[in-house]
Amino acid sequence: MLTTLVMYCGVGAVAGVLAGLLGIGGGLVIVPMLVYVFGIQKIPYELTMHLALATSMASIMFTSVSSFMAHHRRGAVHWPVVKKIVAGILAGTFLGSCFASTLSTEFLKVFFVVFLYFVATQLLMGKKPKGSRELPGWPGMTLAGGIIGAVSSFVGIGGGTLSVPFMLWCNIKIHNAIGTSAAIGLPIAIAGTVGYVVGGWNAQELPTYSIGFVYLPALFGIAAVSVLTAPLGVKLAHSLPVDKLKKIFAFLLYVVGTRMLFSVL
């Protein structure tokens, strides 16, 4: 148990630094690393992806609070947007995680790989969508929130990769888009965690100390350390060539995604 806790703390350390340094959602790092560690632990293969997604989602509950509060203190959270989108976020994430709980590890891995390729390509191109319209009304915002939440639940992230471009497209200023996305990450994490707990409640062969598909030793190790290392990543962001590092990280995502894809084939 001590050895595995050390490994989980290592996952949290890497995820925290990269999140602070590159502004990348920790789930993109946490999920593949957890799948690898679960393999070392001999956890049944058919459970590894579900446990990784659920535990990643649960860890975001801890990291998102400090993030969105920091943005709120700077006036960067656009709360009217949060109010309009949160119902769709909660419904989409909860239903998405419940549905993901019924799918095979192979399908979830392929979906995750496609998403990794999408994010890596975004990082390489470095393009941000230009504002071309206004925010939709309540129905449109609910639909957008549902889609963002559902996709986030399938890949174990806080949604920033999708919500920030959406808000930029709707003429929200970049600092407000990032701050508002950080605030949206908390309801995504809560709804996703609940969904994976419900979806995995009666699952067979779960490892000890699991609540549904949330694996508590991994959650505690990741949450405890990532909160400490994220500020280090932010500090490094002011002294390192972040644009070049993002391109390096994009290639790393391609490698990680391709490795996961070959594990399915």
Side-chain angles (χ1 to χ4, degrees):
M1 179 59 70
L2 179 60
T3 302
T4 54
L5 280 174
V6 170
M7 287 193 288
Y8 294 135
C9 289
V11 172
V14 173
V17 170
L18 289 178
L21 176 62
L22 304 176
I24 299 298
L28 296 177
V29 178
I30 292 171
V31 171
M33 291 181 73
L34 282 182
V35 169
Y36 175 74
V37 175
F38 290 157
I40 294 175
Q41 284 186 257
K42 307 298 183 184
I43 289 175
Y45 172 79
E46 61 272 14
L47 297 176
T48 54
M49 199 65 188
H50 302 79
L51 289 166
L53 293 172
T55 305
S56 173
M57 193 67 78
S59 71
I60 296 169
M61 290 193 298
F62 296 88
T63 57
S64 64
V65 174
S66 59
S67 176
F68 92 74
M69 286 301 295
H71 286 291
H72 173 68
R73 285 192 290 270
R74 291 170 174 79
V77 178
H78 201 317
W79 289 108
V81 174
V82 177
K83 291 178 182 178
K84 283 186 176 181
I85 203 171
V86 72
I89 287 288
L90 291 170
T93 311
F94 176 75
L95 294 175
S97 56
C98 287
F99 182 55
S101 298
T102 68
L103 299 174
S104 68
T105 285
E106 287 79 7
F107 179 89
L108 292 173
K109 276 191 174 183
V110 171
F111 191 95
F112 187 83
V113 167
V114 171
F115 191 79
L116 280 187
Y117 288 165
F118 165 73
V119 174
T121 303
Q122 273 193 327
L123 288 172
L124 283 178
M125 295 176 66
K127 291 184 178 180
K128 296 180 174 63
K130 294 181 179 179
S132 58
R133 56 164 298 161
E134 298 301 315
L135 285 167
W138 284 95
M141 290 293 285
T142 301
L143 176 61
I147 294 171
I148 291 170
V151 175
S152 298
S153 69
F154 270 63
V155 290
I157 63 170
T161 306
L162 301 171
S163 57
V164 170
F166 168 71
M167 283 184 270
L168 291 177
W169 181 55
C170 294
N171 276 306
I172 300 294
K173 293 180 181 179
I174 180 64
H175 69 282
N176 289 122
I178 294 172
T180 306
S181 174
I184 291 170
L186 181 58
I188 286 178
I190 293 172
T193 301
V194 173
Y196 276 114
V197 168
V198 172
W201 194 258
N202 294 316
Q204 303 298 313
E205 298 185 271
L206 286 172
T208 308
Y209 309 117
S210 294
I211 300 178
F213 284 125
V214 177
Y215 186 45
L216 295 180
L219 171 60
F220 293 147
I222 292 168
V225 180
S226 62
V227 171
L228 298 176
T229 57
L232 173 61
V234 173
K235 184 177 180 180
L236 290 174
H238 294 280
S239 59
L240 296 176
V242 175
D243 287 339
K244 291 183 179 179
L245 289 174
K246 282 187 176 182
K247 290 180 170 56
I248 294 172
F249 186 65
F251 284 110
L252 177 62
L253 290 182
Y254 282 126
V255 172
V256 171
T258 303
R259 186 180 183 280
M260 288 187 72
L261 187 60
F262 276 114
S263 73
V264 176
L265 301 177

